[in-house]
Short mmCIF file of all heavy atoms in Angstrom, two decimals:
data_model
loop_
_atom_site.label_atom_id
_atom_site.label_comp_id
_atom_site.label_asym_id
_atom_site.label_seq_id
_atom_site.Cartn_x
_atom_site.Cartn_y
_atom_site.Cartn_z
N TYR A 124 125.17 148.77 88.49
CA TYR A 124 125.22 149.89 87.54
C TYR A 124 123.93 150.68 87.51
O TYR A 124 123.94 151.91 87.50
CB TYR A 124 125.57 149.39 86.13
CG TYR A 124 127.04 149.13 86.00
CD1 TYR A 124 127.57 147.86 86.22
CD2 TYR A 124 127.92 150.17 85.70
CE1 TYR A 124 128.92 147.63 86.14
CE2 TYR A 124 129.28 149.94 85.61
CZ TYR A 124 129.78 148.68 85.83
OH TYR A 124 131.12 148.46 85.76
N SER A 125 122.80 149.97 87.49
CA SER A 125 121.53 150.69 87.34
C SER A 125 121.08 151.30 88.67
O SER A 125 120.99 152.52 88.80
CB SER A 125 120.47 149.73 86.79
OG SER A 125 119.22 150.35 86.86
N TRP A 126 120.87 150.46 89.66
CA TRP A 126 120.41 150.99 90.96
C TRP A 126 121.53 151.82 91.60
O TRP A 126 121.28 152.93 92.10
CB TRP A 126 120.01 149.83 91.89
CG TRP A 126 119.45 150.34 93.19
CD1 TRP A 126 118.15 150.60 93.48
CD2 TRP A 126 120.22 150.70 94.35
NE1 TRP A 126 118.05 151.11 94.75
CE2 TRP A 126 119.30 151.17 95.31
CE3 TRP A 126 121.58 150.68 94.67
CZ2 TRP A 126 119.69 151.61 96.56
CZ3 TRP A 126 121.99 151.12 95.92
CH2 TRP A 126 121.04 151.57 96.86
N GLY A 127 122.76 151.30 91.54
CA GLY A 127 123.88 151.96 92.21
C GLY A 127 124.16 153.33 91.63
O GLY A 127 124.33 154.31 92.35
N TRP A 128 124.18 153.38 90.32
CA TRP A 128 124.48 154.64 89.63
C TRP A 128 123.44 155.70 90.00
O TRP A 128 123.75 156.87 90.20
CB TRP A 128 124.50 154.38 88.12
CG TRP A 128 125.02 155.48 87.29
CD1 TRP A 128 124.30 156.22 86.40
CD2 TRP A 128 126.36 155.98 87.25
NE1 TRP A 128 125.12 157.14 85.81
CE2 TRP A 128 126.38 157.02 86.31
CE3 TRP A 128 127.54 155.65 87.92
CZ2 TRP A 128 127.53 157.75 86.02
CZ3 TRP A 128 128.68 156.37 87.64
CH2 TRP A 128 128.68 157.41 86.71
N ALA A 129 122.18 155.26 90.09
CA ALA A 129 121.09 156.22 90.35
C ALA A 129 120.97 156.59 91.82
O ALA A 129 120.43 157.65 92.15
CB ALA A 129 119.76 155.62 89.85
N ASN A 130 121.44 155.74 92.70
CA ASN A 130 121.13 155.95 94.12
C ASN A 130 122.32 156.21 95.04
O ASN A 130 122.12 156.59 96.19
CB ASN A 130 120.37 154.73 94.67
CG ASN A 130 118.96 154.65 94.10
OD1 ASN A 130 118.07 155.37 94.52
ND2 ASN A 130 118.80 153.80 93.10
N LEU A 131 123.55 155.94 94.57
CA LEU A 131 124.69 156.09 95.48
C LEU A 131 125.40 157.42 95.25
O LEU A 131 125.46 157.91 94.13
CB LEU A 131 125.68 154.93 95.26
CG LEU A 131 125.16 153.54 95.66
CD1 LEU A 131 126.14 152.47 95.22
CD2 LEU A 131 124.90 153.45 97.16
N LYS A 132 125.92 157.96 96.34
CA LYS A 132 126.70 159.20 96.22
C LYS A 132 127.78 159.19 97.30
O LYS A 132 127.80 158.29 98.17
CB LYS A 132 125.78 160.42 96.35
CG LYS A 132 125.01 160.45 97.64
CD LYS A 132 124.14 161.66 97.72
CE LYS A 132 123.43 161.77 99.06
NZ LYS A 132 123.14 160.60 99.83
N GLU A 133 128.62 160.19 97.25
CA GLU A 133 129.70 160.29 98.23
C GLU A 133 129.14 160.28 99.65
O GLU A 133 128.11 160.93 99.92
CB GLU A 133 130.47 161.60 97.99
CG GLU A 133 131.83 161.51 98.60
CD GLU A 133 132.79 162.51 97.99
OE1 GLU A 133 132.49 163.07 96.92
OE2 GLU A 133 133.83 162.70 98.63
N GLY A 134 129.80 159.52 100.50
CA GLY A 134 129.34 159.44 101.90
C GLY A 134 128.45 158.23 102.15
O GLY A 134 128.28 157.80 103.29
N ASP A 135 127.88 157.66 101.08
CA ASP A 135 127.05 156.46 101.23
C ASP A 135 127.95 155.24 101.41
O ASP A 135 129.11 155.25 100.99
CB ASP A 135 126.17 156.24 99.99
CG ASP A 135 125.06 157.28 99.89
OD1 ASP A 135 124.79 157.96 100.89
OD2 ASP A 135 124.49 157.40 98.78
N GLU A 136 127.38 154.20 101.98
CA GLU A 136 128.15 152.96 102.15
C GLU A 136 127.45 151.76 101.53
O GLU A 136 126.22 151.66 101.53
CB GLU A 136 128.39 152.71 103.65
CG GLU A 136 129.36 153.73 104.23
CD GLU A 136 129.59 153.59 105.72
OE1 GLU A 136 129.01 152.67 106.36
OE2 GLU A 136 130.35 154.42 106.27
N ILE A 137 128.29 150.87 101.02
CA ILE A 137 127.83 149.60 100.44
C ILE A 137 128.37 148.54 101.40
O ILE A 137 129.58 148.49 101.63
CB ILE A 137 128.47 149.39 99.05
CG1 ILE A 137 128.07 150.52 98.10
CG2 ILE A 137 128.12 148.02 98.48
CD1 ILE A 137 128.97 150.62 96.85
N LEU A 138 127.48 147.73 101.97
CA LEU A 138 127.94 146.75 102.96
C LEU A 138 128.02 145.36 102.32
O LEU A 138 127.00 144.82 101.86
CB LEU A 138 126.98 146.76 104.16
CG LEU A 138 127.44 146.08 105.43
CD1 LEU A 138 128.82 146.57 105.89
CD2 LEU A 138 126.42 146.28 106.55
N LEU A 139 129.23 144.82 102.29
CA LEU A 139 129.47 143.47 101.75
C LEU A 139 129.90 142.56 102.89
O LEU A 139 130.01 143.01 104.02
CB LEU A 139 130.57 143.52 100.68
CG LEU A 139 130.41 144.54 99.56
CD1 LEU A 139 131.60 144.46 98.60
CD2 LEU A 139 129.11 144.28 98.79
N THR A 140 130.18 141.30 102.59
CA THR A 140 130.71 140.42 103.64
C THR A 140 132.02 139.82 103.16
O THR A 140 132.32 139.79 101.96
CB THR A 140 129.74 139.27 104.01
OG1 THR A 140 129.96 138.19 103.10
CG2 THR A 140 128.28 139.70 103.99
N GLU A 141 132.75 139.31 104.14
CA GLU A 141 134.08 138.76 103.86
C GLU A 141 134.02 137.47 103.04
O GLU A 141 135.02 137.01 102.54
CB GLU A 141 134.75 138.47 105.22
CG GLU A 141 136.22 138.69 105.25
CD GLU A 141 136.76 138.57 106.68
OE1 GLU A 141 136.03 138.14 107.60
OE2 GLU A 141 137.93 138.90 106.86
N MET A 142 132.82 136.88 102.95
CA MET A 142 132.72 135.61 102.23
C MET A 142 132.14 135.77 100.83
O MET A 142 131.68 134.80 100.22
CB MET A 142 131.92 134.60 103.05
CG MET A 142 130.49 134.95 103.28
SD MET A 142 129.59 133.60 104.08
CE MET A 142 129.74 133.98 105.81
N GLU A 143 132.17 136.99 100.27
CA GLU A 143 131.57 137.18 98.94
C GLU A 143 132.46 136.64 97.82
O GLU A 143 133.68 136.67 97.89
CB GLU A 143 131.26 138.66 98.69
CG GLU A 143 130.24 139.26 99.63
CD GLU A 143 128.97 138.45 99.77
OE1 GLU A 143 128.41 138.02 98.74
OE2 GLU A 143 128.54 138.22 100.92
N HIS A 144 131.78 136.17 96.80
CA HIS A 144 132.40 135.81 95.52
C HIS A 144 132.81 137.11 94.84
O HIS A 144 132.17 138.15 95.04
CB HIS A 144 131.34 135.07 94.70
CG HIS A 144 131.79 134.47 93.42
ND1 HIS A 144 131.97 135.21 92.27
CD2 HIS A 144 132.08 133.19 93.07
CE1 HIS A 144 132.33 134.40 91.29
NE2 HIS A 144 132.41 133.17 91.73
N HIS A 145 133.83 137.07 93.99
CA HIS A 145 134.27 138.29 93.31
C HIS A 145 133.12 138.98 92.58
O HIS A 145 133.13 140.20 92.42
CB HIS A 145 135.39 137.97 92.31
CG HIS A 145 136.65 137.49 92.98
ND1 HIS A 145 137.66 136.86 92.30
CD2 HIS A 145 137.05 137.53 94.28
CE1 HIS A 145 138.63 136.55 93.15
NE2 HIS A 145 138.27 136.93 94.35
N SER A 146 132.13 138.18 92.13
CA SER A 146 131.04 138.85 91.39
C SER A 146 130.15 139.68 92.29
O SER A 146 129.34 140.46 91.77
CB SER A 146 130.15 137.91 90.59
OG SER A 146 130.27 136.66 90.89
N ASN A 147 130.29 139.51 93.60
CA ASN A 147 129.54 140.40 94.49
C ASN A 147 130.50 141.35 95.22
O ASN A 147 130.16 141.87 96.28
CB ASN A 147 128.71 139.58 95.49
CG ASN A 147 127.53 140.35 96.04
OD1 ASN A 147 127.07 141.34 95.44
ND2 ASN A 147 127.05 139.95 97.20
N ILE A 148 131.67 141.54 94.66
CA ILE A 148 132.63 142.52 95.19
C ILE A 148 132.98 143.53 94.09
O ILE A 148 132.79 144.74 94.24
CB ILE A 148 133.93 141.83 95.69
CG1 ILE A 148 133.63 140.83 96.81
CG2 ILE A 148 134.94 142.88 96.17
CD1 ILE A 148 134.83 140.00 97.25
N VAL A 149 133.47 142.98 92.98
CA VAL A 149 134.05 143.85 91.94
C VAL A 149 133.03 144.84 91.35
O VAL A 149 133.35 146.02 91.19
CB VAL A 149 134.74 142.99 90.84
CG1 VAL A 149 135.39 143.89 89.80
CG2 VAL A 149 135.78 142.08 91.47
N PRO A 150 131.79 144.43 91.03
CA PRO A 150 130.85 145.42 90.50
C PRO A 150 130.63 146.57 91.47
O PRO A 150 130.46 147.72 91.05
CB PRO A 150 129.54 144.63 90.31
CG PRO A 150 129.95 143.20 90.25
CD PRO A 150 131.19 143.08 91.11
N TRP A 151 130.67 146.27 92.77
CA TRP A 151 130.46 147.32 93.78
C TRP A 151 131.67 148.24 93.85
O TRP A 151 131.53 149.45 94.08
CB TRP A 151 130.14 146.69 95.14
CG TRP A 151 128.87 145.89 95.05
CD1 TRP A 151 128.74 144.54 95.14
CD2 TRP A 151 127.56 146.40 94.78
NE1 TRP A 151 127.43 144.17 94.95
CE2 TRP A 151 126.68 145.30 94.72
CE3 TRP A 151 127.03 147.67 94.57
CZ2 TRP A 151 125.31 145.43 94.47
CZ3 TRP A 151 125.67 147.81 94.33
CH2 TRP A 151 124.83 146.69 94.27
N GLN A 152 132.86 147.66 93.65
CA GLN A 152 134.06 148.52 93.63
C GLN A 152 134.00 149.47 92.44
O GLN A 152 134.30 150.66 92.55
CB GLN A 152 135.32 147.66 93.54
CG GLN A 152 135.63 146.95 94.83
CD GLN A 152 136.79 145.98 94.70
OE1 GLN A 152 137.06 145.46 93.61
NE2 GLN A 152 137.46 145.72 95.81
N LEU A 153 133.57 148.93 91.29
CA LEU A 153 133.51 149.76 90.08
C LEU A 153 132.53 150.91 90.28
O LEU A 153 132.80 152.06 89.91
CB LEU A 153 133.11 148.91 88.87
CG LEU A 153 134.13 147.83 88.46
CD1 LEU A 153 133.57 146.94 87.36
CD2 LEU A 153 135.44 148.46 88.01
N ILE A 154 131.39 150.61 90.91
CA ILE A 154 130.38 151.65 91.08
C ILE A 154 130.78 152.60 92.22
O ILE A 154 130.48 153.80 92.18
CB ILE A 154 128.96 151.05 91.25
CG1 ILE A 154 127.91 152.02 90.73
CG2 ILE A 154 128.63 150.61 92.64
CD1 ILE A 154 127.94 152.22 89.25
N ALA A 155 131.48 152.07 93.21
CA ALA A 155 131.95 152.93 94.32
C ALA A 155 132.93 153.97 93.78
O ALA A 155 132.87 155.15 94.15
CB ALA A 155 132.60 152.08 95.41
N GLU A 156 133.82 153.52 92.89
CA GLU A 156 134.79 154.46 92.28
C GLU A 156 134.08 155.59 91.56
O GLU A 156 134.50 156.74 91.60
CB GLU A 156 135.66 153.73 91.26
CG GLU A 156 136.93 153.16 91.86
CD GLU A 156 137.62 152.23 90.87
OE1 GLU A 156 137.47 152.42 89.64
OE2 GLU A 156 138.28 151.29 91.36
N ARG A 157 133.00 155.25 90.87
CA ARG A 157 132.32 156.27 90.06
C ARG A 157 131.44 157.19 90.90
O ARG A 157 131.17 158.32 90.51
CB ARG A 157 131.46 155.60 88.99
CG ARG A 157 132.27 155.00 87.85
CD ARG A 157 131.37 154.06 87.06
NE ARG A 157 131.97 153.59 85.83
CZ ARG A 157 132.84 152.59 85.77
NH1 ARG A 157 133.26 151.99 86.87
NH2 ARG A 157 133.32 152.20 84.59
N THR A 158 130.91 156.67 92.02
CA THR A 158 129.93 157.46 92.78
C THR A 158 130.53 158.10 94.03
O THR A 158 129.90 158.98 94.63
CB THR A 158 128.75 156.58 93.23
OG1 THR A 158 129.28 155.51 94.03
CG2 THR A 158 127.98 156.01 92.06
N GLY A 159 131.67 157.60 94.47
CA GLY A 159 132.26 158.11 95.70
C GLY A 159 131.74 157.39 96.94
O GLY A 159 132.09 157.74 98.07
N ALA A 160 130.87 156.39 96.74
CA ALA A 160 130.40 155.59 97.88
C ALA A 160 131.56 154.74 98.40
O ALA A 160 132.53 154.48 97.68
CB ALA A 160 129.23 154.72 97.47
N LYS A 161 131.44 154.30 99.65
CA LYS A 161 132.50 153.50 100.28
C LYS A 161 132.03 152.08 100.51
O LYS A 161 130.86 151.87 100.84
CB LYS A 161 132.80 154.10 101.66
CG LYS A 161 133.94 155.05 101.72
CD LYS A 161 134.59 154.94 103.12
CE LYS A 161 135.62 156.01 103.29
NZ LYS A 161 135.06 157.21 103.92
N ILE A 162 132.96 151.14 100.41
CA ILE A 162 132.61 149.75 100.70
C ILE A 162 133.03 149.42 102.13
O ILE A 162 134.15 149.74 102.55
CB ILE A 162 133.30 148.82 99.69
CG1 ILE A 162 132.63 149.00 98.33
CG2 ILE A 162 133.24 147.36 100.15
CD1 ILE A 162 133.22 148.21 97.21
N LYS A 163 132.12 148.80 102.88
CA LYS A 163 132.43 148.29 104.22
C LYS A 163 132.20 146.78 104.18
O LYS A 163 131.35 146.30 103.41
CB LYS A 163 131.52 148.93 105.27
CG LYS A 163 131.81 150.41 105.49
CD LYS A 163 132.96 150.59 106.48
CE LYS A 163 133.51 151.99 106.55
NZ LYS A 163 132.73 152.92 107.33
N VAL A 164 132.96 146.06 105.01
CA VAL A 164 132.91 144.60 104.92
C VAL A 164 132.60 143.97 106.28
O VAL A 164 133.31 144.22 107.26
CB VAL A 164 134.26 144.06 104.39
CG1 VAL A 164 134.21 142.54 104.25
CG2 VAL A 164 134.61 144.71 103.06
N VAL A 165 131.58 143.13 106.31
CA VAL A 165 131.25 142.41 107.54
C VAL A 165 132.18 141.20 107.65
O VAL A 165 132.22 140.38 106.72
CB VAL A 165 129.78 141.92 107.53
CG1 VAL A 165 129.44 141.24 108.86
CG2 VAL A 165 128.82 143.05 107.22
N PRO A 166 132.92 141.06 108.75
CA PRO A 166 133.83 139.91 108.86
C PRO A 166 133.09 138.61 109.16
O PRO A 166 131.90 138.62 109.47
CB PRO A 166 134.72 140.30 110.05
CG PRO A 166 133.91 141.26 110.85
CD PRO A 166 132.96 141.95 109.90
N ILE A 167 133.85 137.51 109.08
CA ILE A 167 133.28 136.22 109.48
C ILE A 167 133.89 135.81 110.82
O ILE A 167 134.96 136.32 111.20
CB ILE A 167 133.52 135.11 108.42
CG1 ILE A 167 135.02 134.91 108.15
CG2 ILE A 167 132.78 135.41 107.14
CD1 ILE A 167 135.34 133.63 107.41
N THR A 168 133.24 134.90 111.50
CA THR A 168 133.79 134.38 112.76
C THR A 168 134.79 133.26 112.42
O THR A 168 134.83 132.79 111.27
CB THR A 168 132.67 133.80 113.64
OG1 THR A 168 132.05 132.72 112.92
CG2 THR A 168 131.62 134.85 113.96
N ASP A 169 135.52 132.81 113.44
CA ASP A 169 136.51 131.76 113.18
C ASP A 169 135.85 130.44 112.75
O ASP A 169 136.49 129.62 112.12
CB ASP A 169 137.39 131.53 114.42
CG ASP A 169 138.34 132.70 114.62
OD1 ASP A 169 138.57 133.46 113.64
OD2 ASP A 169 138.84 132.88 115.76
N ASP A 170 134.58 130.26 113.11
CA ASP A 170 133.94 129.02 112.66
C ASP A 170 133.19 129.19 111.33
O ASP A 170 132.37 128.36 110.95
CB ASP A 170 133.06 128.39 113.75
CG ASP A 170 132.15 129.41 114.43
OD1 ASP A 170 132.18 130.59 114.01
OD2 ASP A 170 131.43 129.03 115.36
N GLY A 171 133.49 130.27 110.63
CA GLY A 171 133.01 130.38 109.24
C GLY A 171 131.60 130.92 109.09
O GLY A 171 130.98 130.78 108.04
N LEU A 172 131.08 131.53 110.17
CA LEU A 172 129.74 132.12 110.07
C LEU A 172 129.87 133.64 109.94
O LEU A 172 130.92 134.20 110.29
CB LEU A 172 128.91 131.77 111.31
CG LEU A 172 128.74 130.28 111.61
CD1 LEU A 172 127.96 130.08 112.90
CD2 LEU A 172 128.05 129.56 110.46
N LEU A 173 128.81 134.27 109.50
CA LEU A 173 128.84 135.73 109.42
C LEU A 173 128.81 136.29 110.84
O LEU A 173 128.04 135.82 111.69
CB LEU A 173 127.61 136.20 108.63
CG LEU A 173 127.69 137.63 108.14
CD1 LEU A 173 128.79 137.78 107.09
CD2 LEU A 173 126.35 138.04 107.53
N ASP A 174 129.63 137.29 111.09
CA ASP A 174 129.69 137.90 112.43
C ASP A 174 128.52 138.90 112.54
O ASP A 174 128.62 140.04 112.08
CB ASP A 174 131.04 138.60 112.60
CG ASP A 174 131.22 139.16 113.99
OD1 ASP A 174 130.20 139.40 114.67
OD2 ASP A 174 132.38 139.37 114.39
N ILE A 175 127.45 138.43 113.11
CA ILE A 175 126.22 139.24 113.14
C ILE A 175 126.37 140.47 114.04
O ILE A 175 125.82 141.53 113.76
CB ILE A 175 125.00 138.37 113.56
CG1 ILE A 175 124.62 137.44 112.40
CG2 ILE A 175 123.80 139.22 113.96
CD1 ILE A 175 124.04 138.13 111.16
N ASP A 176 127.19 140.34 115.10
CA ASP A 176 127.41 141.52 115.96
C ASP A 176 128.11 142.61 115.15
O ASP A 176 127.77 143.80 115.26
CB ASP A 176 128.27 141.16 117.19
CG ASP A 176 127.50 140.23 118.12
OD1 ASP A 176 126.25 140.24 118.04
OD2 ASP A 176 128.14 139.50 118.89
N ALA A 177 129.08 142.18 114.36
CA ALA A 177 129.80 143.16 113.53
C ALA A 177 128.85 143.75 112.48
O ALA A 177 128.90 144.95 112.18
CB ALA A 177 130.99 142.49 112.85
N PHE A 178 127.99 142.90 111.94
CA PHE A 178 127.00 143.40 110.96
C PHE A 178 126.15 144.49 111.62
O PHE A 178 125.94 145.57 111.04
CB PHE A 178 126.11 142.24 110.47
CG PHE A 178 124.94 142.67 109.64
CD1 PHE A 178 125.12 143.10 108.33
CD2 PHE A 178 123.65 142.68 110.17
CE1 PHE A 178 124.04 143.52 107.56
CE2 PHE A 178 122.56 143.10 109.40
CZ PHE A 178 122.76 143.52 108.09
N ASP A 179 125.69 144.21 112.84
CA ASP A 179 124.85 145.20 113.54
C ASP A 179 125.61 146.52 113.73
O ASP A 179 125.03 147.59 113.60
CB ASP A 179 124.42 144.65 114.91
CG ASP A 179 123.42 143.51 114.77
OD1 ASP A 179 122.85 143.37 113.67
OD2 ASP A 179 123.23 142.76 115.74
N ARG A 180 126.91 146.38 114.04
CA ARG A 180 127.70 147.61 114.27
C ARG A 180 127.90 148.39 112.97
O ARG A 180 127.87 149.61 112.95
CB ARG A 180 129.07 147.25 114.86
CG ARG A 180 129.05 146.99 116.37
CD ARG A 180 130.47 146.99 116.93
NE ARG A 180 131.35 146.02 116.32
CZ ARG A 180 131.40 144.72 116.65
NH1 ARG A 180 130.60 144.25 117.60
NH2 ARG A 180 132.23 143.90 116.05
N LEU A 181 128.13 147.65 111.88
CA LEU A 181 128.43 148.32 110.60
C LEU A 181 127.19 148.87 109.90
O LEU A 181 127.28 149.70 108.99
CB LEU A 181 129.15 147.34 109.67
CG LEU A 181 130.60 147.04 110.06
CD1 LEU A 181 131.10 145.77 109.39
CD2 LEU A 181 131.49 148.22 109.68
N LEU A 182 126.03 148.35 110.31
CA LEU A 182 124.79 148.75 109.64
C LEU A 182 124.30 150.08 110.21
O LEU A 182 123.52 150.12 111.15
CB LEU A 182 123.72 147.66 109.81
CG LEU A 182 122.44 147.89 109.03
CD1 LEU A 182 122.68 147.77 107.53
CD2 LEU A 182 121.38 146.87 109.46
N THR A 183 124.77 151.16 109.61
CA THR A 183 124.34 152.49 110.05
C THR A 183 123.45 153.09 108.97
O THR A 183 123.26 152.48 107.91
CB THR A 183 125.55 153.43 110.22
OG1 THR A 183 126.11 153.63 108.91
CG2 THR A 183 126.61 152.82 111.13
N GLU A 184 122.97 154.29 109.22
CA GLU A 184 122.11 154.92 108.21
C GLU A 184 122.87 155.37 106.97
O GLU A 184 122.27 155.75 105.98
CB GLU A 184 121.32 156.05 108.85
CG GLU A 184 120.39 155.44 109.87
CD GLU A 184 119.22 156.28 110.28
OE1 GLU A 184 119.26 157.50 110.09
OE2 GLU A 184 118.27 155.68 110.82
N ARG A 185 124.20 155.27 107.04
CA ARG A 185 125.00 155.58 105.83
C ARG A 185 124.91 154.44 104.81
O ARG A 185 125.16 154.63 103.63
CB ARG A 185 126.46 155.81 106.21
CG ARG A 185 126.73 157.15 106.89
CD ARG A 185 128.22 157.42 106.99
NE ARG A 185 128.90 156.42 107.80
CZ ARG A 185 128.95 156.41 109.13
NH1 ARG A 185 128.38 157.38 109.81
NH2 ARG A 185 129.58 155.46 109.80
N VAL A 186 124.58 153.25 105.30
CA VAL A 186 124.52 152.09 104.39
C VAL A 186 123.28 152.20 103.51
O VAL A 186 122.16 152.31 104.00
CB VAL A 186 124.49 150.76 105.20
CG1 VAL A 186 124.29 149.57 104.25
CG2 VAL A 186 125.77 150.60 106.00
N LYS A 187 123.52 152.14 102.20
CA LYS A 187 122.38 152.26 101.27
C LYS A 187 122.03 150.91 100.65
O LYS A 187 120.92 150.70 100.20
CB LYS A 187 122.70 153.28 100.16
CG LYS A 187 122.85 154.70 100.70
CD LYS A 187 121.54 155.24 101.26
CE LYS A 187 121.67 156.59 101.91
NZ LYS A 187 122.03 156.58 103.32
N ILE A 188 123.03 150.03 100.59
CA ILE A 188 122.75 148.69 100.07
C ILE A 188 123.63 147.67 100.80
O ILE A 188 124.81 147.93 101.08
CB ILE A 188 122.94 148.59 98.53
CG1 ILE A 188 122.52 147.20 98.03
CG2 ILE A 188 124.36 148.95 98.07
CD1 ILE A 188 122.15 147.13 96.56
N VAL A 189 122.99 146.54 101.13
CA VAL A 189 123.72 145.40 101.68
C VAL A 189 123.71 144.35 100.56
O VAL A 189 122.64 144.02 100.03
CB VAL A 189 123.01 144.83 102.93
CG1 VAL A 189 123.74 143.60 103.46
CG2 VAL A 189 122.88 145.91 104.01
N ALA A 190 124.88 143.84 100.19
CA ALA A 190 124.95 142.81 99.15
C ALA A 190 125.62 141.59 99.78
O ALA A 190 126.79 141.64 100.16
CB ALA A 190 125.73 143.31 97.95
N VAL A 191 124.86 140.53 99.91
CA VAL A 191 125.31 139.38 100.71
C VAL A 191 124.97 138.08 99.99
O VAL A 191 123.94 137.96 99.35
CB VAL A 191 124.63 139.42 102.11
CG1 VAL A 191 123.12 139.43 102.03
CG2 VAL A 191 125.08 138.26 102.99
#
Side-chain angles (χ1 to χ4, degrees):
Y124 281 93
S125 170
W126 184 91
W128 190 247
N130 290 282
L131 293 172
K132 58 179 184 333
E133 201 159 345
D135 290 344
E136 290 177 1
I137 300 163
L138 194 53
L139 308 179
T140 86
E141 215 172 9
M142 64 173 92
E143 297 310 313
H144 187 281
H145 295 164
S146 15
N147 203 21
I148 300 174
V149 183
W151 298 112
Q152 287 174 333
L153 295 173
I154 209 68
E156 269 169 29
R157 287 165 170 81
T158 59
K161 263 211 188 93
I162 289 178
K163 291 276 168 79
V164 182
V165 183
I167 59 165
T168 61
D169 289 340
D170 47 2
L172 303 177
L173 196 66
D174 185 337
I175 287 292
D176 292 338
F178 171 75
D179 290 344
R180 279 194 302 278
L181 287 162
L182 186 68
T183 66
E184 295 200 339
R185 285 191 298 278
V186 175
K187 294 294 175 273
I188 185 157
V189 178
V191 57

